[in-house]
Amino acid sequence: YVAALLSPLNEVRAADYLLLPAHAGGDVPAPTDAQLTAYVTRHPEKLSTPEYREVDYAEIGPDDITAQTQPTDVQLKQQYELRKDDPRFAYNVPEKRDVEQITFTSEADARAAKAKIDAGTKFADLGKSVDNLGPVTKDDLGTRGSAVFALAADGVTDPQKNLSGWVILHVTKITPGVNKTFDDVKEDIRKDVTTQLAQAKLGEIANAYTDANSGGMSVAEAGKKVGMHTGHIAAVDANGLAPDGSKTPAAADPDFLKQIFAAEVGEEGDPFPVKSGKLYVLKVDGQIPPKLKLLDQVRAQATQAWTEEQRQKLLVAKADALVKQADAQHNLNAAAAAAGTAVLHTGRLYRPSGLEQQPGESIPALAVARLFSAEPGTAIAAPGDNGSYVVARVTGVLHRPLPTSSLQFLQGARQLSQQSAQDFDTLTALAARSNQSVKINQANADRVTGAGGDTGS
């Protein structure tokens, strides 16, 4: 049962195919005005003026309040003291060393090993089990720390007493420590504290604006009262352009522009921050809805789009005709001759899980997906790249043996077994209920369980 369900997923196919370029459907005659007018009417989203919005706004940024957010040296030193032992800031990081260690049962054995090393034997060649202690600090090593941290890289200590006996230690790498003074990090701290102070100040300004606006002041009045810059945008579209096509500098911030088109017309919103650090508030005073352009304004654009649409229709019709021809003749030879192109052959095609391109294949992913939905020996058509089309025919189907001993297969079988058991339980209960003519008083059931909102008796 599991094999029958999973076998199609493991299926491999091969196909012959031919590629039809975008112009293969034939020439398209020039459109009439009636045809273009109909096209413009059908595609208002492409051939209309954009929506424009009129906006009153107020804004203020960190640069506007610099004088009010300059931290003192006392504040900076306080921050340094708070941060200097915090590992997140890495102001004071002790030196670390990568250390190996060999343990001996006696001091004599340890001294004999050290003598071999002094004579030229490599630490790893002593023939003993080596423990890698990893990167450690001096304090991590306890009484052995002083001896280890007195060595240069690749140095080996004299025998050291350890809880488990005697050891010699080998330094394989030295990572210098870090000790940043206040002067070293003063400017970094200044930037952080200035940002924090600016955010706090902008929060105060936002609250003050809200109070003024709630008291009846307009956006411009409330903004000026709390020190914000105010302005008016007569008309701007979602791309930040005015009706004459020029850029609108006041709407250059993408987050501000997005909010302009998310706001309700006539409503005064709350102040909001943007990624640049600025604080904005706005009111959309009016809206100019999209308007279908006159044919003479979009003639060139509409002609090109209409021509491409008609060319695609002709191409699809030709591809469908070639599919019928291939099915009738059981090959693509005549279809390829009629199209003036060659028959191409795929390698192994694997059942796709989506529309990803098959490795090493030029046949489009959608065509592969349709080939796996087709009957063996039949043909399909599918769009390709750059307006092209594909006609393909299934030439081979291989059902590969399933890996029934693999963990993945066994897990799948277990899941299917559990699901089947649940299905049988559900169906058995439904059958028993039906055979015994069981009926449920839903109102009473809801009252007892509380589902109906009435828990009284």
Side-chain angles (χ1 to χ4, degrees), residues 17-96:
Y17 68 101
L18 54 93
L19 298 174
L20 302 175
H23 57 77
D27 296 331
V28 177
T32 65
D33 280 5
Q35 289 172 319
L36 288 180
T37 299
Y39 182 85
V40 171
T41 303
R42 290 200 312 272
H43 298 280
E45 73 286 353
K46 297 180 181 179
L47 301 168
S48 295
T49 59
E51 175 189 350
Y52 291 98
R53 292 196 162 197
E54 181 184 0
V55 183
D56 281 329
Y57 70 93
E59 56 93 6
I60 190 169
D63 293 343
D64 299 314
I65 53 176
T66 300
Q68 305 171 55
T69 57
Q70 287 302 309
T72 65
D73 280 356
V74 172
Q75 290 174 306
L76 298 180
K77 287 179 180 178
Q78 288 174 341
Q79 281 296 312
Y80 176 76
E81 292 299 322
L82 291 172
R83 296 180 179 195
K84 69 178 183 180
D85 295 322
D86 190 328
R88 293 175 299 174
F89 296 99
Y91 288 173
N92 293 297
V93 180
E95 177 184 324
K96 290 187 177 182

Side-chain angles (χ1 to χ4, degrees), residues 35-223:
Q35 289 172 319
L36 288 180
T37 299
Y39 182 85
V40 171
T41 303
R42 290 200 312 272
H43 298 280
E45 73 286 353
K46 297 180 181 179
L47 301 168
S48 295
T49 59
E51 175 189 350
Y52 291 98
R53 292 196 162 197
E54 181 184 0
V55 183
D56 281 329
Y57 70 93
E59 56 93 6
I60 190 169
D63 293 343
D64 299 314
I65 53 176
T66 300
Q68 305 171 55
T69 57
Q70 287 302 309
T72 65
D73 280 356
V74 172
Q75 290 174 306
L76 298 180
K77 287 179 180 178
Q78 288 174 341
Q79 281 296 312
Y80 176 76
E81 292 299 322
L82 291 172
R83 296 180 179 195
K84 69 178 183 180
D85 295 322
D86 190 328
R88 293 175 299 174
F89 296 99
Y91 288 173
N92 293 297
V93 180
E95 177 184 324
K96 290 187 177 182
R97 298 191 169 202
D98 287 25
V99 178
E100 297 176 333
Q101 173 180 280
I102 296 178
T103 303
F104 300 90
T105 56
S106 67
E107 182 180 6
D109 290 342
R111 292 196 177 279
K114 179 61 165 62
K116 289 182 179 180
I117 288 175
D118 292 342
T121 302
K122 297 292 185 183
F123 192 82
D125 295 337
L126 289 175
K128 299 287 186 178
S129 175
V130 177
D131 296 323
N132 187 350
L133 304 183
V136 292
T137 65
K138 184 176 181 179
D139 291 342
D140 291 336
L141 295 173
T143 58
R144 298 165 292 165
S146 296
V148 170
F149 276 73
L151 297 172
D154 204 35
V156 178
T157 66
D158 289 331
Q160 306 290 312
K161 187 71 175 73
N162 196 17
L163 292 175
S164 57
W166 289 82
V167 296
I168 57 175
L169 301 101
H170 174 217
V171 177
T172 61
K173 179 183 176 182
I174 297 176
T175 303
V178 176
N179 185 17
K180 294 181 179 180
T181 66
F182 172 69
D183 289 335
D184 292 333
V185 297
K186 180 179 179 179
E187 292 310 312
D188 290 336
I189 295 176
R190 186 189 304 279
K191 291 178 183 178
D192 291 347
V193 175
T194 299
T195 299
Q196 293 170 7
L197 292 174
Q199 290 173 344
K201 184 62 178 177
L202 290 175
E204 294 174 6
I205 292 172
N207 292 333
Y209 171 87
T210 300
D211 290 341
N213 184 244
S214 299
M217 288 187 176
S218 66
V219 170
E221 292 169 339

Side-chain angles (χ1 to χ4, degrees), residues 5-14 348-356 358-359 365 368-374 376 397-400:
L5 289 175
L6 297 183
S7 180
L9 299 178
N10 213 36
E11 183 181 299
V12 175
R13 293 192 170 199
R348 284 191 169 198
L349 300 175
Y350 299 92
R351 182 177 291 278
S353 56
L355 290 180
E356 69 278 4
Q358 299 259 337
V368 174
R370 291 185 180 179
L371 284 168
F372 272 86
S373 299
V397 178
L398 172 65
H399 294 280
R400 295 179 293 170

